[in-house]
Amino acid sequence: MAKHSFSVNFPGAAVDIIAKAKGAIEKAGGKFGGDEKKGDFSVPTPAGKVTGVYTITGQSFAVDITDKPFVVPGKVIEEQVKSFLAKA
């Protein structure tokens, strides 16, 4: 069961949002695997590792955080992901 779920609508091609997500996660020292339909990721944080899966349907990038440090609220992770995708 996901510990936190959210989705981000995006313009353009799915390959572009994947490139943004992969670049941001790898720059933060994490791992990203998947394609324009689904995949998974993990990224270290000072409080512990965050792991999750994603699916893309149409123009929606849906994320399920499957594991996270107890002390890190899901909403904080959501805002960070949205920030990465907006800047990248």
Side-chain angles (χ1 to χ4, degrees):
M1 185 167 127
K3 295 188 182 283
H4 187 77
S5 299
F6 61 93
S7 62
V8 179
N9 292 327
F10 64 91
V15 68
D16 295 335
I17 195 81
I18 294 304
K20 286 182 180 183
K22 181 177 178 162
I25 288 170
E26 289 179 348
K27 184 175 181 182
K31 297 182 183 197
F32 185 95
D35 57 25
E36 293 83 25
K37 295 183 182 190
K38 65 181 180 176
D40 56 30
F41 60 90
S42 66
V43 65
T45 74
K49 189 188 303 186
V50 173
T51 60
V53 296
Y54 72 87
T55 56
I56 294 179
T57 306
Q59 299 304 118
S60 178
F61 184 82
V63 177
D64 290 324
I65 301 301
T66 56
D67 198 21
K68 67 175 189 63
F70 178 77
V71 297
V72 180
K75 194 69 175 168
V76 170
I77 297 169
E78 178 179 346
E79 293 304 320
Q80 188 64 50
V81 169
K82 288 179 177 180
S83 174
F84 280 150
L85 295 177
K87 287 190 278 185

